[in-house]
Amino acid sequence: MLAISEEFRKELNVIGGDWVSADSGETFEVTNPATGETIGTVPMSGKAETKRAITAAHEAFLTFRKTSAKDRARLLRRLRKLIIEHQEPLAQLLSAEQGKPIAEARAEVRMSASYVMWFAEEARRIYGDTVPSPWADRRIMVTKEPVGVVGAITPWNFPSSMLARKIAPALAAGCTIVCKPAEATPYSGLAWGVLCAKAGIPAGVVNILTGDPVEIGKELTANPLVRKITFTGSTRVGKILLKQSVPTVKKVSMELGGNAPFIVFNDADIDRAVEGAIAAKYRNSGQTCVCTNRLYVQSKIYNKFVEKLVEATEAMKVGQANEEGVVQGPLINEAAVEKCEDFVADAVAKGGKVATGGKRHELGHGFFQPTVITNAKQRMKFSKEEIFGPIAPVYKFRTEEEVIELANNTEYGLACYFYTQDLGRTFRVSEALEYGLVGVNEGIITTVEAPFGGVKESGIGKEGGHQGIQDYLEEKYVCIGGLGL
């Protein structure tokens, strides 16, 4: 039984430092996807509440932007310390609303703390430039300043760490922020309000509200006081937010959908490749934007790889979040389960074979069996559509040139993976693949020290690394004349 902390299970918005309900008093229920039980209710906010949150953030920005980098770093280090101290209740809350195994939830909370610490350090490294002047009596400086109020919209699959990627760099840069967590997982978002208050972050600097995604999104994108929109979610919604941000010419960063290929060449270490495939495919029950969507295996080792993959897949334990040894939890809702059923039915109708799994799990609710489908073909739906579930389609290929063409044949370009022991191939293939993230002989590659983001329709901008703070800054050129030199 998961233990939900009442300290962190907030059921009100935080606006300007105050915990408030929606103006209408309306709420909506949040359920545990593993059991279907209601956890509680949160405010159904809309345009009016969002506008007030933006105003509060703007008023706070006028002061917060003047704080020193050292002071902002100190606040973030304190925030990181609080996250670590409260790791267990935060992880329990996250598992209850999202469904992921408690071990994964703890890892996500630790990752959140790591992002906060990373940007605490980056706050003191926002360097400008002194540019050699073409004029003897003038001096040229380039400085960096916080962009202003940030509107952040985050998804349900990583409800804590996705906010960490946005709140931490925003505060490090001197920005203030209005956050809208996903409707399915609002509690992990609202918990940030508790943490920020405990850390002594000034009122209005971090505002968090739950509710109608359309109304909140429209106000965040239309309001001229918001100078940047940062969004993690589907490409479809990202395009809507981009369009809505055009009239006020906002700075935007988008981490959108993926269709990650996982390529295994004949010369690969098969055991290592299978281990990487399990990690890259089934993490969070396949519900990540960097999850493997298509496994391409070269013809000579295809059968051997499939045999080992099926064996490893069948060894995974499916169950409730806090059961010992569980590595697979439920999908987020019934629609996600039905989508997996549709992918399997489509594949079978087009000649695919279910090597293991392929249907709802006996546990019921949102559980779906970890699935491997062989004889996968390009005409099947999951070749083009993001699966976001525990289905691993395995395709056969013959040549390096063929698989590169197949891997790049998508509008997405977020993450990709390939396995080889050929050094020349390592460079050829990594340079040929049209993706923002490339894992070579590794299935899990995300880390706070490196930039995270895609190309093509998978997004704009980077999160993490020293690059991650740049989208929260504006460059200013200052020319100083009349120096009498």
Side-chain angles (χ1 to χ4, degrees):
M1 190 75 177
L2 291 165
I4 299 177
S5 166
E6 293 305 314
E7 179 183 13
F8 289 103
R9 191 185 66 167
K10 286 292 187 179
E11 299 197 322
L12 297 168
N13 298 320
V14 58
I15 298 176
D18 296 323
W19 292 94
V20 296
S21 62
D23 292 357
S24 64
E26 289 185 38
T27 61
F28 63 93
E29 291 185 344
V30 182
T31 60
N32 183 329
T35 64
E37 295 174 349
T38 299
I39 302 171
T41 61
V42 294
M44 178 57 83
S45 307
K47 178 177 180 178
E49 297 88 345
T50 309
K51 191 170 185 177
R52 284 202 303 279
I54 293 168
T55 300
H58 175 67
E59 290 174 354
F61 176 67
L62 300 178
T63 302
F64 191 67
R65 67 176 301 173
K66 298 175 184 177
T67 57
S68 69
K70 182 178 180 180
D71 285 342
R72 297 195 300 273
R74 176 179 52 81
L75 287 172
L76 286 169
R77 285 196 298 272
R78 190 181 300 162
L79 179 59
R80 181 258 179 194
K81 183 173 183 288
L82 287 164
I83 295 170
I84 294 298
E85 288 175 353
H86 295 91
Q87 173 184 309
E88 192 58 28
L90 292 170
Q92 295 276 334
L93 182 65
L94 196 161
S95 280
E97 64 177 347
Q98 203 277 338
K100 66 178 60 177
I102 191 64
E104 282 197 36
R106 289 171 184 145
E108 180 177 342
V109 172
R110 290 195 299 272
M111 179 65 84
S112 300
S114 295
Y115 274 110
V116 172
M117 189 61 187
W118 174 260
F119 286 110
E121 296 166 340
E122 287 299 294
R124 303 184 70 181
R125 295 175 177 84
I126 301 173
Y127 302 131
D129 295 295
T130 300
V131 181
S133 173
W135 305 288
D137 61 344
R138 303 184 202 178
R139 295 294 179 265
I140 295 174
M141 297 188 303
V142 178
T143 60
K144 294 183 180 180
E145 299 179 351
V147 67
V149 176
V150 174
I153 302 173
T154 54
W156 51 260
N157 56 343
F158 290 92
S160 179
S161 62
M162 294 299 99
L163 272 171
R165 283 186 184 178
K166 302 177 189 304
I167 292 174
L171 270 57
C175 299
T176 57
I177 192 165
V178 177
C179 304
K180 190 273 174 193
E183 303 92 274
T185 55
Y187 287 115
S188 292
L190 292 168
W192 279 88
V194 179
L195 293 164
C196 289
K198 281 178 171 287
I201 293 168
V205 171
V206 177
N207 306 271
I208 303 164
L209 67 161
T210 62
D212 187 323
V214 175
E215 282 200 26
I216 294 173
K218 280 184 177 179
E219 183 60 27
L220 287 174
T221 52
N223 195 307
L225 294 179
V226 177
R227 294 310 312 144
K228 172 182 167 61
I229 293 291
T230 173
F231 170 71
T232 299
S234 71
T235 296
R236 180 187 66 82
V237 174
K239 289 178 178 180
I240 293 170
L241 295 172
L242 283 168
K243 185 176 181 179
Q244 291 176 179
S245 298
V246 167
T248 50
V249 196
K250 297 191 193 307
K251 200 177 185 81
V252 294
S253 56
M254 299 273 154
E255 197 266 279
L256 307 177
N259 187 3
F262 187 103
I263 304 167
V264 186
F265 289 98
N266 284 333
D267 66 330
D269 179 329
I270 295 179
D271 290 334
R272 186 181 181 90
V274 169
E275 182 182 353
I278 291 292
K281 173 67 258 182
Y282 296 115
R283 181 187 178 203
N284 198 24
S285 299
Q287 299 173 120
T288 88
C289 54
V290 295
C291 265
T292 296
N293 214 63
R294 301 166 289 156
L295 287 88
Y296 293 106
V297 182
Q298 204 159 12
S299 53
K300 287 183 181 179
I301 62 166
Y302 184 89
N303 291 337
K304 188 174 182 181
F305 178 87
V306 166
E307 179 185 344
K308 287 177 176 286
L309 179 65
V310 169
E311 182 181 353
T313 299
E314 291 177 343
M316 292 190 298
K317 183 177 180 180
V318 180
Q320 301 285 342
N322 58 347
E323 285 182 37
E324 187 69 28
V326 165
V327 294
Q328 287 285 279
L331 299 181
I332 191 65
N333 54 31
E334 175 64 18
V337 176
E338 291 175 356
K339 184 179 179 183
C340 285
E341 289 180 318
D342 181 58
F343 277 132
V344 172
D346 173 76
V348 170
K350 294 173 181 174
K353 301 184 185 303
V354 177
T356 188
K359 59 185 179 181
R360 291 172 185 256
H361 197 277
E362 61 187 16
L363 289 170
H365 296 292
F367 291 94
F368 196 86
Q369 295 176 339
T371 300
V372 176
I373 293 178
T374 60
N375 198 36
K377 304 296 181 185
Q378 292 301 116
R379 62 180 177 270
M380 296 173 183
K381 283 185 179 180
F382 44 49
S383 297
K384 291 294 184 182
E385 299 178 26
E386 193 170 19
I387 296 172
F388 242 63
I391 299 174
V394 191
Y395 305 72
K396 185 184 292 184
F397 75 92
R398 287 180 170 74
T399 68
E400 182 178 309
E401 294 75 19
E402 174 194 2
V403 78
I404 288 171
E405 183 178 352
L406 289 170
N408 288 337
N409 185 23
T410 173
E411 66 268 31
Y412 298 108
L414 185 54
C416 63
Y417 312 87
F418 69 92
Y419 280 68
T420 182
Q421 296 186 75
D422 183 319
L423 183 60
R425 175 175 282 149
T426 296
F427 284 95
R428 286 196 308 274
V429 176
S430 61
E431 291 171 8
L433 290 169
E434 299 169 350
Y435 291 84
L437 311 172
V438 183
V440 184
N441 298 327
E442 294 292 343
I444 299 290
I445 61 174
T446 304
T447 179
V448 301
E449 293 84 359
F452 185 103
V455 299
K456 298 195 286 187
E457 293 189 20
S458 283
I460 302 168
K462 302 294 180 184
E463 295 186 312
H466 70 83
Q467 298 89 343
I469 202 168
Q470 298 306 316
D471 279 339
Y472 296 84
L473 297 166
E474 296 282 16
E475 289 187 332
K476 179 179 285 185
Y477 157 45
V478 180
C479 178
I480 305 172
L483 298 177
L485 300 173

